[in-house]
Amino acid sequence: MQYILAYILPLLIIVFSGNYFINYIKKLNFGQQVRDYGPESHLKKAGIPTMGGLLIISVFLILSLFFVPLNIEYTALLLSTFIMALTGFLDDFLKIKFERSLGLKAWQKIILQTAAALVTAVTAVFVVKQHSIIIPFLGNLQTGEVFKFILAFIVVIGSSNAVNLTDGLDGLAAGVTAVVSAAFAAIFYLQGLNNYSLLMLIMAGSTTAFLWFNANPASVFMGDVGSLAIGGFLGATAVLTAAEIYLLIIGGIYVIETLSVMIQVPYFKVTGGKRVFKMTPIHHHFELSGLAENKIVFRFVIITIVLSLFAVSSLF
């Protein structure tokens, strides 16, 4: 019953409070700032309420306090998530206040993301003493303290930015995250990590409910406050449970989105303006290639379901 409630409660809270929240941020004029160099089809999205991630993360954090014990491990996880949410909130707020597509400066964002990663790294290495990673189908691999500490920074910051890059089409980040969270809930349940399973179900319920309002055509966007926090949560959880490889597999869409940017940017600079993709992140490449926004989202979600089933099968 507890597992059902962990999924259903956030879903119902967000579905029934969503319209009130959207109307409130409309009154505050929290409208989306569209990038000047983005697809032309996205210009019509300018002014649609953003920072919907506030609802996702608020519900997630509050319900988490009721479902899991506040020991050092879970407190650190929720604190890391909160710091990432704060980073995204400041980024979104500055975009809206100054009516521009860029908010925090890169160094400001990195400092805050590093703080979130540091909380996770210290907790994993020195409190939980988690010095290994799980290799699906093979078992645990001992890594040592230094490697795990460095890996924590890469995974938490990388995951946060990866989900942020994925949040570019209506329903994409929320849809993929709902599947990723549900898959991790199953994996943690099978591993006997019940509290982590509950946390993942709360996130799955929250992001599923958000799709009620974020599916194409979206009436609200999650903004950086949602995407950075979700990515930070997934990354921190992976580090604390030695599930970094599972995140790499299940979050394959996040990885592909990030790699497309990592390939495009240096190639563009080295070749003096040539491109590998029409536009990155890669969902924009498919969009400019003529695929409908909904079709891209559905296909990316289907890929995530397949990757999730593969990952879960490693435990049988």
Side-chain angles (χ1 to χ4, degrees):
M1 185 63 180
Q2 191 177 23
Y3 293 97
I4 296 174
L5 284 176
Y7 181 80
I8 292 296
L9 274 181
L11 191 151
L12 292 177
I13 291 171
I14 291 176
V15 165
F16 285 107
S17 65
N19 282 325
Y20 297 102
F21 176 82
I22 292 171
N23 289 332
Y24 179 70
I25 57 177
K26 277 182 179 179
K27 292 179 181 178
L28 296 177
N29 292 318
F30 280 6
Q32 176 76 6
Q33 303 299 316
V34 178
R35 297 181 304 171
D36 295 332
Y37 48 89
E40 289 186 12
S41 60
H42 285 218
L43 294 177
K44 62 184 179 183
K45 299 184 180 186
I48 293 176
T50 188
M51 295 178 74
L54 273 175
L55 184 58
I56 298 174
I57 301 305
S58 297
V59 170
F60 168 76
L61 290 175
I62 292 171
L63 288 181
S64 294
L65 299 177
F66 290 96
F67 278 90
V68 300
L70 274 188
N71 58 22
I72 295 178
E73 182 178 354
Y74 301 119
T75 300
L77 174 59
L78 297 180
L79 179 59
S80 294
T81 304
F82 175 78
I83 294 173
M84 286 296 189
L86 177 62
T87 305
F89 174 81
L90 293 173
D91 198 40
D92 286 332
F93 181 77
L94 289 174
K95 291 175 186 176
I96 295 165
K97 181 178 180 180
F98 296 106
E99 297 184 349
R100 63 192 189 196
S101 59
L102 296 175
L104 287 174
K105 294 179 181 178
W107 65 267
Q108 295 171 323
K109 189 179 292 186
I110 285 295
I111 288 175
L112 289 168
Q113 289 181 312
T114 300
L118 181 62
V119 171
T120 300
V122 169
T123 304
V125 174
F126 300 112
V127 178
V128 182
K129 299 189 183 301
Q130 179 60 265
H131 307 148
S132 65
I133 58 175
I134 299 173
I135 309 297
F137 300 102
L138 298 177
N140 278 22
L141 173 67
Q142 293 300 314
T143 61
E145 293 181 356
V146 175
F147 181 86
K148 185 73 175 187
F149 196 84
I150 295 172
L151 183 64
F153 280 86
I154 295 172
V155 172
V156 174
I157 296 175
S159 178
S160 178
N161 290 323
V163 176
N164 184 242
L165 289 172
T166 305
D167 184 32
L169 298 178
D170 295 355
L172 180 56
V176 169
T177 299
V179 176
V180 170
S181 301
F184 266 118
I187 288 172
F188 291 144
Y189 179 79
L190 293 171
Q191 292 177 329
L193 301 174
N194 297 333
N195 287 325
Y196 280 107
S197 183
L198 289 170
L199 288 172
M200 282 296 170
L201 285 171
I202 296 170
M203 180 59 75
S206 299
T207 48
T208 300
F210 189 69
L211 283 171
W212 189 273
F213 308 98
N214 184 238
N216 186 267
S219 53
V220 66
F221 301 125
M222 71 166 61
D224 289 356
V225 64
S227 59
L228 291 179
I230 289 170
F233 164 70
L234 293 175
T237 301
V239 170
L240 290 166
T241 58
E244 293 93 339
I245 304 299
Y246 278 109
L247 179 57
L248 192 68
I249 295 171
I250 299 171
I253 289 299
Y254 303 143
V255 176
I256 292 169
E257 295 275 23
T258 304
L259 287 176
S260 69
V261 176
M262 293 174 67
I263 293 169
Q264 182 92 319
V265 173
Y267 185 81
F268 183 85
K269 292 180 179 178
V270 170
T271 60
K274 293 183 179 179
R275 303 171 185 267
V276 177
F277 308 102
K278 294 180 179 179
M279 185 177 289
T280 57
I282 200 168
H283 56 255
H284 289 320
H285 169 81
F286 293 120
E287 195 176 12
L288 293 177
S289 297
L291 277 179
E293 190 168 342
N294 272 348
K295 185 166 288 188
I296 298 168
V297 172
F298 288 143
R299 288 182 178 179
F300 278 25
V301 169
I302 290 170
I303 291 171
T304 303
I305 292 172
V306 173
L307 293 173
S308 297
L309 291 173
F310 173 74
V312 173
S313 72
S314 70
L315 298 174
F316 291 95

